[in-house]
Amino acid sequence: VNPAIAIAETIKLNIPGSVIAFVGTPRGIENKLVKAAGYELYHVDVRGLRRSLSFANFKAAYLALTSPGQAKKIIRNFKPVFVIGTGGYVSWPVLRAAASLGIPSMIHESNAYPGVTTRMLARHVDTILLNFEKTAEYLKPLRPKKMVLVGNPLRSGFFASSAKTASASVSVSDAKEGYQKMILSYGGSLGAQHINEAVLAMMRDYTKHHPEILHILAAGSIEWEDANKMFDDYGLRGYPNLRLVEYIYDMPHRMAAADLIICRAGAMTVSEIAAMRRAAIFFPSPKVTWNHQYKKAPVPEEAGAAVIIEEKDLTGESLTAVVDALLRDDKRRRAMGDAAGAFAIEDANKRIFKEICALTGYKKL
């Protein structure tokens, strides 16, 4: 969702009169984020296929066939100049419908290994925007029309923020709230149970004993209730330096102030951390397609830009040991941040807008 909002922001910045609408599902996080960003949101009923045998897959297969019809109605009503998707199964019906109606279309693939949706759409869309050059190797056999390396689109605030200022109006010291050090930990918008359990154990055994450290954990929407219960069971509610939230809405500000970030190794997260030049501990998800998080996460680790802990090795104790060592070594964290910055494609938004102009014939670059 955030990459899609970043692209919308770029279009509005370059073409102020643009009218932009989003399409999502009735159940997704887009219902919070898109509306908060001020855009109109339409819905189609579509669901992802589960990797294990499940009766739910019959429903998902049926919706995969019928949802493009729903999307066609939305497109005919909205009359877009072009349609762009940023991955996820909701992109399938919308882009498939746009292509069948002859409307220019493109999809952005942020992952090293292209998702099922991108592979299904490769022959239909006009352009595929890539974050990793090697992704093209997986897509070539599908004969896509055009592939362009652009990087990942980031929302305003990431490249604008720095170690000196989290934004034009919010300084890093303000975001840190006067604490000497700050840890930012999260497992994605939906949450990750194993990460939450390890981080909460670390809060109990380590950061609650360090009042000079501000530690924020975003538990995610699905794991929110369980994390809240564990937070209370561990007696953490009364410690002002320990914060449990569902979602971090001011991520650029918080990330700019963070001395250390603990998170998944998703493509967007890695791009954000690279843009902000932050030291990070990554936990690649073992559940994603072809384990692509682990396949790409070692790259920044080998460059000295991050520490990788496989989920099978993750415990509160193992996490605490790594965190304590990094927080005590300011020089190493700065070096990790600088190394992470080498992976950033700082003009990704500009590159994407250039491809939009090429596709639509818009002349203003």
Side-chain angles (χ1 to χ4, degrees):
V1 181
N2 281 319
I5 295 175
I7 293 172
E9 287 180 349
T10 301
I11 294 170
K12 294 286 280 189
L13 179 66
N14 287 276
I15 314 174
S18 300
V19 179
I20 300 170
F22 284 68
V23 181
T25 70
R27 300 165 298 279
I29 189 68
E30 60 268 25
N31 290 280
K32 290 183 179 180
L33 302 185
V34 171
K35 291 180 180 179
Y39 295 101
E40 186 173 8
L41 176 65
Y42 295 97
H43 291 129
V44 293
D45 192 6
V46 61
R47 301 176 190 181
L49 289 169
R50 298 185 182 182
R51 296 175 67 186
S52 58
L53 291 175
S54 170
F55 181 77
N57 281 342
F58 289 100
K59 177 71 171 178
Y62 171 76
L63 292 175
L65 293 173
T66 59
S67 55
Q70 302 173 41
K72 279 186 179 180
K73 293 179 181 178
I74 295 171
I75 290 172
R76 286 181 174 131
N77 177 61
F78 187 73
K79 297 180 176 63
V81 173
F82 85 104
V83 179
I84 184 168
T86 50
Y89 50 84
V90 74
S91 292
W92 159 252
V94 183
L95 288 172
R96 185 67 186 90
S100 69
L101 293 172
I103 297 172
S105 61
M106 61 173 63
I107 188 167
H108 179 274
E109 177 55 69
S110 63
N111 296 311
Y113 185 82
V116 173
T117 302
T118 299
R119 284 180 277 136
M120 289 172 63
L121 288 167
R123 295 184 181 183
H124 302 288
V125 297
D126 297 292
T127 308
I128 301 176
L129 306 176
L130 306 177
N131 180 38
F132 292 93
E133 190 170 0
K134 67 178 181 180
T135 309
E137 298 173 10
Y138 299 113
L139 293 172
K140 278 180 181 178
L142 301 177
R143 300 191 187 93
K145 298 175 184 177
K146 182 181 180 182
M147 293 184 285
V148 185
L149 180 67
V150 295
N152 270 335
L154 298 181
R155 297 191 64 178
S156 58
F158 281 102
F159 286 112
S161 300
S162 68
K164 293 182 179 180
T165 178
S167 74
S169 59
V170 183
S171 69
V172 165
S173 60
D174 289 338
K176 264 187 181 174
E177 302 177 25
Y179 290 93
Q180 294 177 24
K181 297 281 174 64
M182 177 177 165
I183 302 172
L184 197 60
S185 46
Y186 51 95
S189 59
L190 301 180
Q193 180 183 358
H194 200 173
I195 290 180
N196 287 346
E197 290 173 349
V199 171
L200 287 165
M202 187 185 77
M203 284 181 161
R204 177 194 63 197
D205 300 333
Y206 177 72
T207 41
K208 85 172 186 181
H209 301 296
H210 290 272
E212 76 281 7
I213 300 173
L214 173 61
H215 190 170
I216 301 173
L217 168 62
S221 58
I222 291 178
E223 302 296 331
W224 176 240
E225 287 188 18
D226 289 342
N228 255 301
K229 185 179 184 304
M230 192 174 292
F231 195 74
D232 287 329
D233 290 344
Y234 285 171
L236 303 177
R237 191 72 64 182
Y239 291 85
N241 66 315
L242 305 181
R243 311 284 175 81
L244 179 66
V245 299
E246 181 179 339
Y247 185 84
I248 299 172
Y249 289 93
D250 58 343
M251 185 62 82
H253 302 160
R254 293 295 184 177
M255 194 177 283
D259 294 276
L260 183 61
I261 297 171
I262 300 170
C263 59
R264 284 289 192 209
M268 290 309 305
T269 301
V270 172
S271 295
E272 290 167 357
I273 288 171
M276 302 297 287
R277 298 177 176 269
R278 301 291 88 189
I281 300 172
F282 289 137
F283 308 108
S285 173
K287 299 179 181 180
V288 295
T289 306
W290 288 87
N291 200 18
H292 66 71
Q293 283 199 0
Y294 183 72
K295 287 181 179 179
K296 71 168 172 292
V299 175
E301 182 184 43
E302 291 165 4
V307 173
I308 307 295
I309 301 178
E310 288 195 65
E311 191 164 304
K312 63 183 178 63
D313 300 321
L314 176 60
T315 65
E317 186 177 359
S318 65
L319 179 59
T320 296
V322 176
V323 168
D324 183 57
L326 288 174
L327 288 184
R328 292 176 184 274
D329 194 339
D330 294 348
K331 184 177 180 181
R332 184 184 176 191
R333 291 198 319 278
R334 285 195 295 270
M336 288 172 68
D338 290 340
F343 290 90
I345 299 180
E346 297 192 7
D347 64 342
N349 292 20
K350 183 177 179 180
R351 293 187 189 191
I352 292 170
F353 183 69
K354 182 178 179 180
E355 292 306 318
I356 291 172
C357 291
L359 181 62
T360 61
Y362 187 72
K363 302 298 182 183
K364 180 181 177 182
L365 294 176

